[in-house]
Amino acid sequence: MTISFCLSSHLNLIFNKEKVKDVLLFIKNDHNYYMNRPENKILQFYTAQGNKVVLCYLTYICSTVLAFLMISTISLVTDLIVPSNHSKEISLPVIADYGVDTQQYFYYVFICICITVFIIGVVIFTTYSAYMLYVQHACALFAIVSYQLRTMHILDTSSLINLKDRHLLEKYKNVELSQEEKEKIFRKLLLCIKEHKNAIRYSNLLESLFTKFILTQIFFHIICLSIGGVGIVLNLGNTDEITRFGSLALVQVIHIFILCLPGQRLLNHSEEVYVATCEIVWYMLPKKFHNLYMFLIARTMIFSKITAFKIAVMSMETFLAVKISYCNSLDNRKSIRNFIIIYIFRLFKPQ
């Protein structure tokens, strides 16, 4: 199951290498475009924020891998500290048929497991961190468009304007503008439309890159989550087994959350563009351009999103649907077949 999980992640990047290249070129061109503009501060802020998220995720992956591998070495450390005359059976992190005597060749098998787990951790980290960073850049693009729309009536844009300063924004709204200044505002509106179109193109590229990957990952996470839930229910009196299966279920929930959270943030930032569009001082625009403004409002009402192959939208609503169905299934002590049916029904219901 884990090998299939990692293989699907790796194959997604291999078969979509052209799209990955396009995404990276998009990011590079955007950074070059905003390099000498005030909006570059917004872009850098989101970049730094994304780096912090990836660093936290790296810490989580490393701690999880180390904890997983160190569980089986606790008995070895205990024997070194407090020697015992009785030989104890040493358990491996992964229970499987290795074709050899695991007690006799414990260290050889354990080293192979460590290498395998390390490779799996690297594949998972690179794939999920790329997903989070790419979506973070899309959020930055929509944030820039929102900023430009809210400050459209301010002609002095040599420095970044504090959007929290409502007094400043209202001050510029009450200024009488000449026809030439209104034309400048209109040109800024055209620029916003162009950059909004660029953000939408980038979001659509992300959607096409990750949509099949997300569907596959959600499927494997649901299977593993179901196995963990059944294991917990069947071993309620066994603390060790509950810990093992509970950890498995917790890891799946965390990764489903990681898949859903960037999608929710993209939805929020896309919706913020619509809110910013509604706050435009449209009465400052020449009347002949009001139709263009209405088209802009209509387009911003269509939010960009990340989906699992057009079946489920990656959002906190989807995450809560999985979580609630999981808790309900545990309470009812259903079989693994019913687990999977409930999850798929809740997750992939029409949006």
Side-chain angles (χ1 to χ4, degrees), residues 263-276:
Q264 181 64 54
R265 296 190 72 247
L266 181 61
L267 274 172
N268 293 344
H269 281 77
S270 181
E271 183 178 357
E272 191 66 23
V273 175
Y274 168 72
V275 175

Side-chain angles (χ1 to χ4, degrees), residues 278-302:
C278 295
E279 295 178 359
I280 288 180
V281 283
W282 55 269
Y283 49 84
M284 289 186 174
L285 296 173
K287 291 184 179 180
K288 60 181 179 180
F289 300 129
H290 286 179
N291 289 336
L292 180 62
Y293 172 64
M294 288 188 289
F295 278 117
L296 176 61
I297 291 181
R299 182 60 187 87
T300 54
M301 292 176 67
I302 304 174

Side-chain angles (χ1 to χ4, degrees), residues 63-206:
S63 59
T64 303
V65 169
L66 288 176
F68 178 75
L69 295 175
M70 291 299 292
I71 289 176
S72 61
T73 62
I74 293 177
S75 59
L76 294 176
V77 176
T78 304
D79 289 340
L80 291 176
I81 297 175
V82 184
S84 176
N85 296 327
H86 303 284
S87 59
K88 297 181 180 179
E89 184 177 352
I90 307 173
S91 61
L92 290 167
V94 180
I95 300 175
D97 183 9
Y98 297 97
V100 296
D101 186 354
T102 56
Q103 300 302 308
Q104 182 179 356
Y105 299 99
F106 173 80
Y107 292 102
Y108 297 100
V109 177
F110 183 73
I111 290 174
C112 292
I113 292 175
C114 289
I115 295 173
T116 304
V117 171
F118 174 77
I119 294 173
I120 291 173
V122 169
V123 172
I124 293 175
F125 169 74
T126 53
T127 306
Y128 277 74
S129 60
Y131 168 68
M132 290 186 287
L133 287 176
Y134 293 167
V135 176
Q136 181 74 3
H137 183 73
C139 295
L141 295 181
F142 282 115
I144 290 174
V145 175
S146 299
Y147 166 81
Q148 291 175 337
L149 289 171
R150 285 193 168 93
T151 59
M152 183 176 298
H153 58 290
I154 303 177
L155 298 178
D156 182 16
T157 56
S158 57
S159 60
L160 196 68
I161 299 171
N162 184 11
L163 295 179
K164 295 182 180 180
D165 190 352
R166 291 293 178 182
H167 177 71
L168 177 64
L169 296 177
E170 293 297 329
K171 173 185 175 182
Y172 280 99
K173 287 183 180 180
N174 299 323
V175 175
E176 288 291 335
L177 299 177
S178 63
Q179 187 63 29
E180 182 181 356
E181 290 173 331
K182 290 182 179 181
E183 292 291 337
K184 289 182 179 179
I185 292 178
F186 173 69
R187 285 194 292 270
K188 291 181 67 176
L189 176 61
L190 292 180
L191 181 62
C192 288
I193 293 175
K194 177 183 176 182
E195 295 185 7
H196 184 232
K197 182 179 178 181
N198 179 69
I200 293 173
R201 285 179 54 213
Y202 178 76
S203 300
N204 292 338
L205 181 60
L206 287 185

